[in-house]
Amino acid sequence: MNSSLVGNQSGRPFCLLAISYLETINFCLLEVVIIVFLMVLIISGNIIVIFVFHCAPLLNHHTTSYFIQTMAYADLLVGVSCLVPSLSLLHYPIVLSESLVCQIFGYVVSVLKSVSMASLACISIDRYIAITKPLTYNTLVTPWRLRICILTIWLYSCLVFLPSFHWGKPGYHGDVFQWCASSWNTDPYFTLFIVVMLYAPAAFIVCFTYFNIFRICQQHTKEINERRVRFSSQDGEAGDAQPCPDKRYAMVLFRITSVFYILWLPYIIYFLLESSNVYSNRVASFLTTWLAISNSFCNCVIYSLSNSVFQKGLKRLSGAICASCARQRVAKDSSTSRSKRSSNGCHV
């Protein structure tokens, strides 16, 4: 970023959102509240998803579960990494230099978000293959190939952002650090490199697959309704046209994709504008960054809760936890009553 984001030298803490600074509090209040709130949501939400997948073996029979779990682990690490800027904003001492911490934090979060974005694209490809080639799906999508694909996602994400240490800032994940905001500038060529190698392919894959999925589902719905009307007219009964389940699933995918782009589009647009020296604003930088990071919580909620098998696993898990708590309460009450009876017997 440019020098307009450099904190003042009057002894006040460096705060991207200047409105958050209070004279009685020696840290960036609003930034800390936003980051800690997102951190708690992201960590708790993804831990629940991972726990349910490990406790519900039936979920592992679905190929999309591999990518959902990969996305959940990546998003969980995003939430854990948010502890770094929150401690920095609270002015905890940092052992390493601020520039190194800033670069490492920016690189790690960028890699994790790349894994999440690539996983979303792979889920769309998986669903596209399942709908377009249902007969050969099991032979095309095997557990071994899924593991290779997941490993490739992690390696590719690590490599594509590796030049950021020498080329330029990969995004705005580290701008809560003063060095990141004032000294670590974005490079237009590196921005173009990231767009070509990551953002554009992922967006194209998601749009292409979901558009064709929705189109195929509409075609299937039309064919099913025509057959239903034809057979009902032959039997002399009036048949009402009803949508098939594929269309409802396509609408779920459409809502999921819409939420993803709503949260990520402001970040990408601002990234491009700032890199080309068209527009820069520290408030916009902070808000678009953490709006995109909030997708780590939305991913686990939308993708997992839209899965009926996951919902059953979550209900069973919550039921088992409630039953365990009830048994512990009953055991505690019974032991308390026995101790009271024994104490009463001693005083007789």
Side-chain angles (χ1 to χ4, degrees):
M1 280 189 180
N2 55 29
S3 59
S4 64
L5 297 187
V6 181
N8 63 41
Q9 306 298 326
S10 61
R12 292 185 176 185
F14 172 75
C15 299
L16 278 173
L17 305 179
I19 57 175
S20 65
Y21 178 74
L22 300 176
E23 295 291 341
T24 57
I25 301 177
N26 192 31
F27 61 84
C28 307
L29 179 62
L30 188 55
E31 286 98 326
V32 171
V33 170
I34 293 174
I35 294 175
V36 171
F37 177 70
L38 287 178
M39 181 177 66
V40 172
L41 286 181
I42 292 170
I43 292 176
S44 58
N46 286 283
I47 284 179
I48 292 174
V49 171
I50 294 170
F51 197 59
V52 169
F53 269 97
H54 281 283
C55 295
L58 287 177
L59 287 170
N60 294 322
H61 292 289
H62 296 265
T63 55
T64 53
S65 67
Y66 287 84
F67 296 112
I68 293 176
Q69 290 183 73
T70 301
M71 191 167 52
Y73 279 110
D75 291 337
L76 175 62
L77 292 176
V78 169
V80 173
S81 66
C82 291
L83 184 63
V84 176
S86 61
L87 291 178
S88 174
L89 291 170
L90 290 171
H91 300 291
Y92 277 78
I94 300 176
V95 179
L96 302 175
S97 64
E98 185 181 26
S99 61
L100 182 60
V101 173
C102 166
Q103 288 179 315
I104 293 176
F105 174 72
Y107 171 76
V108 169
V109 176
S110 298
V111 168
L112 294 175
K113 295 309 299 178
S114 174
V115 170
S116 181
M117 184 179 294
S119 298
L120 297 177
C122 288
I123 289 175
S124 67
I125 294 174
D126 176 79
R127 293 298 86 203
Y128 177 77
I129 296 174
I131 291 178
T132 57
K133 299 181 179 180
L135 299 179
T136 59
Y137 175 78
N138 291 329
T139 58
L140 293 174
V141 182
T142 62
W144 182 80
R145 289 179 178 177
L146 288 173
R147 294 186 183 96
I148 294 296
C149 182
I150 291 171
L151 179 61
T152 303
I153 288 173
W154 281 95
L155 290 176
Y156 182 81
S157 300
C158 291
L159 291 175
V160 76
F161 283 101
L162 197 58
S164 64
F165 288 97
H166 299 285
W167 202 348
K169 183 163 51 179
Y172 303 95
H173 307 297
D175 274 6
V176 291
F177 301 99
Q178 186 171 359
W179 185 88
C180 278
S182 59
S183 303
W184 198 20
N185 299 318
T186 55
D187 187 281
Y189 295 103
F190 183 59
T191 301
L192 180 63
F193 174 78
I194 295 297
V195 170
V196 172
M197 299 299 292
L198 179 62
Y199 294 156
F204 175 78
I205 290 172
V206 168
C207 293
F208 173 81
T209 53
Y210 285 161
F211 173 79
N212 283 279
I213 287 171
F214 188 76
R215 180 179 57 83
I216 293 171
C217 288
Q218 279 188 322
Q219 184 178 356
H220 288 176
T221 302
K222 183 179 179 181
E223 293 175 355
I224 291 173
N225 289 334
E226 288 177 352
R227 293 176 184 176
R228 184 171 298 165
V229 171
R230 187 184 308 116
F231 287 129
S232 62
S233 61
Q234 290 177 356
D235 295 335
E237 299 177 358
D240 296 329
Q242 298 179 0
C244 74
D246 288 340
K247 186 175 182 179
R248 291 194 296 268
Y249 186 68
M251 291 303 298
V252 172
L253 296 177
F254 177 76
R255 287 192 292 267
I256 290 170
T257 308
S258 300
V259 170
F260 174 77
Y261 279 106
I262 286 172
L263 295 177
W264 267 95
L265 196 58
Y267 167 83
I268 296 174
I269 292 175
Y270 185 81
F271 189 25
L272 296 174
L273 291 177
E274 203 281 335
S275 300
S276 56
N277 296 321
V278 174
Y279 174 78
S280 64
N281 181 277
R282 61 183 180 183
V283 176
S285 168
F286 182 87
L287 294 180
T288 55
T289 295
W290 294 96
L291 181 66
I293 289 179
S294 68
N295 183 250
S296 296
F297 173 70
C298 298
N299 283 341
C300 65
V301 173
I302 299 174
Y303 271 88
S304 300
L305 295 185
S306 63
N307 190 324
S308 60
V309 180
F310 180 88
Q311 292 177 354
K312 293 178 181 178
L314 184 60
K315 290 179 181 178
R316 291 177 182 176
L317 179 62
S318 59
I321 293 175
C322 293
S324 177
C325 293
R327 287 195 297 268
Q328 291 180 357
R329 191 179 298 109
V330 170
K332 183 178 181 180
D333 293 340
S334 60
S335 62
T336 303
S337 61
R338 284 197 300 269
S339 62
K340 287 183 178 179
R341 285 197 299 268
S342 61
S343 61
N344 291 335
C346 292
H347 289 289
V348 172

